Amino acid sequence: MIKHLFTPQAQDIHIVSGFEIKQKAKQYEDRGLKVIHLELGEPDFDTPENIVRAGMQAMEDGFTHYGPALGLPAFREIIAKYVSSYKNIQVDASNIVVTPGAKPILFYTILSLVNPGDEVIIPSPGFMIYEAMTRFVGGIPVPLPMTEESNFRFSLTDLEERLSSKTKLLILNSPQNPTGGVLTREDLEGVADLVRDRDLMILSDEIYDRMIYTEETPVSIASLPGMQEKTIILDGFSKTYAMTGWRLGYGVMSQEAAAIFNPLIVSSNSCTASFTQMAGIEALTGDQTAVTDMIQEFRKRRDVMIEGLNSITGIRCVQPSGAFYAFPNIGSFGLSSQEMTDYLLDEAQVATLPGSTFGEHGEGYIRLSYANSVENLQEALNRIETAVRKL
Ligand SMILES: Cc1ncc(COP(=O)(O)O)c(C=O)c1O
């Protein structure tokens, strides 16, 4: 027995991911049944061909060695140009930190900012890694309710009540996982007014900011007066370019913050795979048709999904404005979200995630990812309708 040798914090990390449910679903698949997978948070599209080719070419060209910890200079430059124009902030290569996937930006931010006892305000429901990593370093997660009544945004009053002298970090995520909610410019201006003069940092998780189904372009809090220095933006290629397995993400931050991240990266990943970064250059500078097509397809699927869910007696679902998740309210059935997820898998072979895994305010909901074909979504909706009618 060696488990006791590990720290309590390490032993306590518990993350329910789509992969666990996928594993559970396998028992049905092994029996020859078709499971419809709506539990995973990744696009079902392949990485666009031009990007794959650029990655392969880079390997052939010898981009298979260590590179600079913060990323290849040419790539950081291109990201900076993209960020400056899409997010409407002025940055250069020195503000860009390239990482293997976007998650390390979250990890390094929390590791380098949060002392034991510091408070971190996190969206609830929200991406479960925020809470897990905060607890891991001894920080105190303070859930900020994202309410269905406000299309899964939060109220400024709720935020103000949660700000304290111990608040070190405020995490924002828009468009949001798991609800698809999008914060408005007014929301963010209100946040900026509340925190501008406070001694805290913001982590703005913008990984879904190209997956947006409203006419307005998303706003980054970093673009508001006085906020750029206080903000670390997390973004990456996993979702927008269907590159989850390549592991390619980045942070946008002040030079001061980048200098803090540098030794952490040297000590952990060393750097991000060089050929992956070359593929990233092609992703940002090459033809964007595949992205536009993918987003159009997601929009179509969203409409099928939300209309279908709302036509099922007992289910209610707000229209998400971004990302690729639906977060319906299933409270009328008298089951917990975990029980409903188990029931849908056992009874209908539809794999979903319980809202409770996204924090205390996620109870009463389930998350369905619509990264699946329209045909499969329609079949899933039919199966769900038949299953919940029996309850
Ligand atoms: C809200 C949110 N932030 C960050 C990430 C991390 O993305 P990556 O796979 O690039 O590490 C995800 C992925 O699921 C996410 O949903």
Side-chain angles (χ1 to χ4, degrees), residues 49-362:
E49 208 188 316
N50 59 319
I51 300 175
V52 174
R53 260 190 278 110
M56 287 162 63
Q57 186 63 51
M59 274 191 232
E60 281 179 9
D61 291 346
F63 284 89
T64 52
H65 299 272
Y66 285 135
L70 298 185
L72 297 173
F75 186 37
R76 293 172 74 200
E77 187 97 33
I78 284 164
I79 296 173
K81 276 204 188 107
Y82 164 75
V83 165
S84 299
S85 87
Y86 192 71
K87 297 183 195 288
N88 196 25
I89 52 177
Q90 276 322 302
V91 290
D92 62 33
S94 67
N95 302 113
I96 306 298
V97 173
V98 178
T99 44
K103 268 185 197 154
I105 294 298
L106 168 66
F107 195 45
Y108 297 136
T109 299
I110 290 180
L111 265 187
S112 58
L113 273 175
V114 181
N115 280 312
D118 283 348
E119 292 178 355
V120 179
I121 299 181
I122 54 166
S124 176
F127 190 42
M128 53 246 198
I129 315 290
Y130 306 144
E131 177 170 347
M133 288 303 102
T134 300
R135 287 195 193 284
F136 180 65
V137 299
I140 300 166
V142 178
L144 177 61
M146 315 292 286
T147 61
E148 184 184 346
E149 300 73 50
S150 63
N151 287 335
F152 292 115
R153 289 151 52 230
F154 55 83
S155 84
L156 290 173
T157 317
D158 280 345
L159 173 59
E160 191 167 15
E161 279 170 13
R162 282 158 181 78
L163 287 165
S164 83
S165 57
K166 290 190 186 158
T167 310
K168 180 60 83 63
L169 181 64
L170 163 65
I171 301 185
L172 302 174
N173 174 212
S174 174
Q176 208 222 2
N177 178 6
T179 66
V182 174
L183 299 174
T184 63
R185 174 175 285 278
E186 291 71 40
D187 292 333
L188 293 168
E189 281 170 352
V191 174
D193 289 344
L194 284 176
V195 305
R196 191 171 282 116
D197 297 324
R198 283 181 172 266
D199 217 11
L200 54 70
M201 290 289 289
I202 294 177
L203 177 75
S204 181
D205 183 339
E206 301 177 8
I207 194 123
Y208 295 102
D209 79 349
R210 293 276 292 275
M211 302 187 151
I212 188 112
Y213 313 116
T214 58
E215 297 320 313
E216 289 169 47
T217 41
V219 180
S220 172
I221 191 155
S223 68
L224 303 180
M227 298 311 291
Q228 194 167 328
E229 195 195 14
K230 291 179 111 65
T231 305
I232 294 174
I233 296 174
L234 171 156
D235 207 336
F237 294 73
S238 297
K239 317 287 175 176
T240 307
Y241 294 98
M243 290 178 76
T244 48
W246 293 74
R247 310 312 300 137
L248 190 59
Y250 58 89
V252 186
M253 62 195 79
S254 65
Q255 288 177 5
E256 242 177 313
I260 299 274
F261 277 37
N262 194 340
L264 286 174
I265 294 175
V266 172
S267 321
S268 51
N269 305 305
S270 289
C271 61
T272 302
S274 303
F275 52 84
T276 298
Q277 296 186 62
M278 294 306 283
I281 292 182
E282 173 62 23
L284 283 183
T285 57
D287 186 6
Q288 301 294 301
T289 315
V291 179
T292 327
D293 289 352
M294 185 170 74
I295 290 163
Q296 223 168 10
E297 181 62 24
F298 274 135
R299 187 191 201 125
K300 201 164 84 192
R301 295 168 178 187
R302 174 198 67 159
D303 294 344
V304 169
M305 183 65 128
I306 306 307
E307 206 184 307
L309 286 170
N310 281 319
S311 70
I312 299 173
T313 309
I315 294 183
R316 178 175 88 215
C317 190
V318 300
Q319 171 100 309
S321 305
F324 43 76
Y325 307 111
F327 203 62
N329 185 320
I330 47 94
S332 73
F333 297 104
L335 297 181
S336 70
S337 59
Q338 181 66 59
E339 288 166 340
M340 179 58 98
T341 300
D342 291 342
Y343 178 71
L344 291 178
L345 183 58
D346 296 337
E347 178 70 25
Q349 285 79 59
V350 177
T352 59
L353 280 182
S356 56
T357 61
F358 297 94
E360 60 187 89
H361 296 278

